[in-house]
Amino acid sequence: MSMKGMINRGIKGIRQFHSIYHVNPTIIDLNKIENQILNKAYEEYVPKYGFNKKSIELASKEFGINGGGIFNFTSNSKDVKMELCLFHLKKCRDELNKLAQSEEFREIMGNNNSKEIDRLRSLIKYRLSLNKKIINELPGLLGYVLINKDRLIESMKELHELSDDLTYYSGDKSNDFAWYSKRISVSGLIIQSELFMINDKSKGFEDTFKFVDSKLKEIETAGYIYNSIEEWIFFNAVSIVNLLKSQLSRG
Amino acid sequence: MVSRLLFQSFKRFNSTYKGPGKSYLPPKPIDNKPTHKELSPAQRAYLDRVIRVDQAGELGADLIYAGQYLALSHNKKVKPIIKHMWEQEIHHRKTFNELQTQYRIRPSILTPFWKIGAFGMGFATGFMNKEAAMACTEAVETVIGKHYNQQLRVLSNNFKDIENLNNGQNDDSIEIQHLKGTIKVFRDEELEHLDTAVQNDSKNAKPYWLLTESIKGVCKTAVYLAERI
Ligand SMILES: [Fe+2]
Ligand SMILES: [Fe+2]
């Protein structure tokens, strides 16, 4: 695939324009038969058989459909295992969305004492705790979605959506390059935390949450470096300007 | 005096600066319930581009005037004229900043370059002389005025097919009305700036043709890039 093709495929499907007055597209449209199959497979068979073709086949059977043939027409990847993995990622994002819409969360957002970074911290921990249900299958899932190039593009798209949601729900209002640096940091943090999590044997994943805390501290400090560089450039420009002005007006 | 001026210009660079003021957004719908059907992917993609490029454009405008103001602050006659236009640009920029966060639009990744480039262009033309600064304004506002008109055309022609959930008819949601209204007001103000520039001897700038044409070229390229990246 060419570079441009990769970028196009990567960008296609990323949310554009979140409307207030119009109905927005849903994360998972359960009116679609393929999503009903995926949902059934995810809820009932993945815990037993993992993110595998078998789970899909068993779920399909309940809908009177043989095999996973339907996904040849409905998915980008034409790969049922990948579709099931992506379904987990989307389902978690959907849960996160529900949390963000809830009364309690709106109350927290309205409270001026809570800081953006603290809200981000709780949202990330909430998202990671959604992995608990499938923790035994998580290593396989991560291995599968991250290792092949085409699958990596699909999963990066989903990861970007996730970090965009996390940043937005935590109250981000950035208008410039900080928009990118925040999301890139959150994406990196999520991947690292999930890789940490698959080896975490501590009670209730305490160690993973501690890992998140320490990484977030780093981000909090690094976040300010960007603004300092910008200020640094500006102040240098201004002092040069002043020097020029004073030198030239003398002549 | 100079330090206050610098501080004013500096505030324009600092993205976290939020001046006092009202909200620039349309009112929220009742019960936060949508009033209209889903926009098509093409419509959403278009709105995405419109807000990104307009935000970048107004950021550029704000900083061009900031640069000119800094360079021409010794000129008692043009100072208030530039100040007036600058204040309108600040309002434009704040409006699009709020729209960008409200509608979850990705800002242009080239924002740091727009900042430095615009401030540099404003300062450089202001530093040459008043006429050059006005020629710069003339060129910029010509491109932006046309650009806003083009957007208004598309918003009027390509958004007619969205059903109102309350009465089953096709009409503009408050969101689309608000965006159109905002762009109309801003377009008129940009064209006022254009008149102001001409009244203040933009045509006497030397070399007029080279200056205005190259600035127009720069603006068109910037529009092209900011829509996409
Ligand atoms: Fe403007
Ligand atoms: Fe203007």
Side-chain angles (χ1 to χ4, degrees):
Chain A
M1 212 187 321
S2 72
M3 191 63 191
K4 201 176 168 204
M6 274 174 66
I7 291 171
N8 277 341
R9 254 192 70 186
I11 288 174
K12 211 178 82 189
I14 286 184
R15 189 210 43 259
Q16 290 170 316
F17 192 80
H18 176 83
S19 181
I20 307 297
Y21 274 88
H22 297 258
V23 176
N24 283 302
T26 46
I27 298 176
I28 298 170
D29 183 358
L30 279 177
N31 291 320
K32 289 185 175 163
I33 178 83
E34 64 267 27
N35 285 333
Q36 292 169 15
I37 296 174
L38 285 168
N39 196 35
K40 181 137 232 135
Y42 179 70
E43 297 292 347
E44 287 173 25
Y45 298 105
V46 165
K48 258 181 266 168
Y49 303 104
F51 289 93
N52 278 312
K53 228 177 166 169
K54 178 152 192 203
S55 301
I56 294 268
E57 281 167 359
L58 288 169
S60 299
K61 224 175 249 164
E62 289 192 37
F63 287 86
I65 295 167
N66 261 337
I70 186 172
F71 292 96
N72 285 339
F73 308 103
T74 57
S75 64
N76 277 339
S77 61
K78 308 212 183 324
D79 170 355
V80 286
K81 186 171 172 180
M82 182 63 183
E83 290 305 308
L84 194 51
C85 293
L86 285 174
F87 189 82
H88 162 71
L89 302 176
K90 291 209 168 88
K91 184 96 178 172
C92 294
R93 205 148 60 72
D94 199 34
E95 291 295 318
L96 204 59
N97 181 39
K98 280 183 195 140
L99 176 79
Q101 305 294 335
S102 70
E103 266 319 305
E104 300 131 274
F105 191 78
R106 281 171 186 231
E107 246 167 58
I108 298 173
M109 287 295 291
N111 177 358
N112 290 331
N113 294 326
S114 80
K115 277 166 64 193
E116 187 179 326
I117 194 100
D118 295 327
R119 295 189 293 257
L120 181 63
R121 180 180 299 114
S122 6
L123 286 164
I124 288 173
K125 288 181 180 174
Y126 178 75
R127 169 61 187 81
L128 289 172
S129 66
L130 295 173
N131 286 340
K132 284 181 188 170
K133 209 165 73 174
I134 53 116
I135 190 68
N136 294 327
E137 309 301 332
L138 191 60
L141 182 145
L142 290 178
Y144 194 73
V145 303
L146 295 177
I147 273 159
N148 161 292
K149 191 180 76 183
D150 283 354
R151 293 200 291 265
L152 184 66
I153 294 171
E154 287 285 317
S155 31
M156 284 299 131
K157 204 159 82 183
E158 191 49 43
L159 178 64
H160 169 76
E161 295 280 6
L162 173 63
S163 50
D164 184 44
D165 282 352
L166 289 165
T167 316
Y168 175 73
Y169 297 148
S170 68
D172 169 54
K173 295 255 186 284
S174 40
N175 305 116
D176 56 12
F177 196 75
W179 189 97
Y180 293 88
S181 46
K182 280 187 184 177
R183 279 152 184 81
I184 293 165
S185 316
V186 173
S187 291
L189 173 66
I190 292 284
I191 293 203
Q192 291 177 54
S193 309
E194 292 199 321
L195 292 174
F196 189 96
M197 198 176 185
I198 58 181
N199 292 316
D200 185 1
K201 299 278 174 282
S202 67
K203 199 175 137 242
F205 298 98
E206 274 169 14
D207 289 352
T208 304
F209 293 149
K210 268 185 215 147
F211 178 79
V212 171
D213 288 337
S214 70
K215 283 283 155 190
L216 266 176
K217 262 213 188 82
E218 282 173 30
I219 290 177
E220 207 181 357
T221 330
Y224 293 113
I225 290 174
Y226 160 71
N227 278 333
S228 316
I229 288 175
E230 210 185 28
E231 285 165 25
W232 182 84
I233 293 172
F234 183 81
F235 276 117
N236 278 286
V238 166
S239 55
I240 291 168
V241 160
N242 281 331
L243 186 72
L244 277 175
K245 261 187 139 177
S246 63
Q247 293 301 319
L248 290 174
S249 61
R250 236 184 253 161
Chain B
M1 181 58 208
V2 170
S3 66
R4 199 174 60 84
L5 258 177
L6 285 181
F7 181 65
Q8 258 181 348
S9 307
F10 173 67
K11 278 197 303 196
R12 319 302 336 136
F13 256 70
N14 192 345
S15 64
T16 52
Y17 168 73
K18 287 265 188 316
K22 51 194 162 71
S23 170
Y24 306 92
L25 302 171
K28 286 260 163 72
I30 301 158
D31 296 334
N32 279 318
K33 288 237 163 56
T35 58
H36 282 69
K37 281 202 172 162
E38 208 173 300
L39 296 158
S40 74
Q43 286 166 336
R44 268 185 286 130
Y46 185 72
L47 294 174
D48 196 66
R49 276 180 166 201
V50 163
I51 292 178
R52 174 161 47 256
V53 71
D54 292 355
Q55 180 192 30
E58 296 299 352
L59 162 127
D62 178 4
L63 284 165
I64 288 174
Y65 287 109
Q68 292 185 347
Y69 191 72
L70 182 62
L72 288 167
S73 56
H74 54 272
N75 188 328
K76 292 281 167 296
K77 212 181 135 253
V78 285
K79 205 175 131 184
I81 298 171
I82 292 179
K83 182 91 197 274
H84 172 69
M85 297 193 283
W86 185 17
E87 275 163 358
Q88 289 183 324
E89 299 300 356
I90 291 171
H91 172 75
H92 297 176
R93 181 180 171 194
K94 280 187 185 167
T95 305
F96 274 107
N97 278 352
E98 287 215 14
L99 290 174
Q100 175 251 320
T101 47
Q102 166 88 354
Y103 297 138
R104 301 184 65 176
I105 309 288
R106 170 178 69 81
S108 171
I109 197 169
L110 301 172
T111 303
F113 296 97
W114 304 143
K115 288 183 184 178
I116 294 167
F119 189 82
M121 190 156 92
F123 187 83
T125 51
F127 196 74
M128 285 166 73
N129 49 47
K130 176 202 111 189
E131 287 76 18
M134 291 299 161
C136 169
T137 300
E138 185 195 325
V140 172
E141 303 294 9
T142 305
V143 174
I144 300 303
K146 278 189 192 153
H147 168 78
Y148 275 152
N149 274 329
Q150 169 66 22
Q151 288 185 345
L152 287 171
R153 260 198 298 281
V154 177
L155 288 173
S156 299
N157 295 335
N158 298 5
F159 286 77
K160 283 189 213 155
D161 58 344
I162 308 157
E163 194 184 314
N164 185 326
L165 295 167
N166 297 324
N167 58 21
Q169 274 161 5
N170 292 354
D171 57 15
D172 279 348
S173 64
I174 294 192
E175 205 165 86
I176 303 289
Q177 288 172 26
H178 175 268
L179 184 61
K180 278 206 287 204
T182 304
I183 293 178
K184 244 180 231 151
V185 172
F186 291 4
R187 189 248 348 244
D188 292 345
E189 288 176 354
E190 310 303 4
L191 295 177
E192 270 171 43
H193 298 171
L194 173 57
D195 290 343
T196 307
V198 175
Q199 280 158 21
N200 285 278
D201 311 320
S202 64
K203 306 275 182 210
N204 296 341
K206 279 188 192 82
Y208 172 77
W209 186 86
L210 184 67
L211 207 54
T212 49
E213 287 311 307
S214 47
I215 290 174
K216 279 182 196 168
V218 168
C219 290
K220 284 178 194 162
T221 315
V223 164
Y224 179 87
L225 289 172
E227 277 181 342
R228 288 159 180 83
I229 45 179

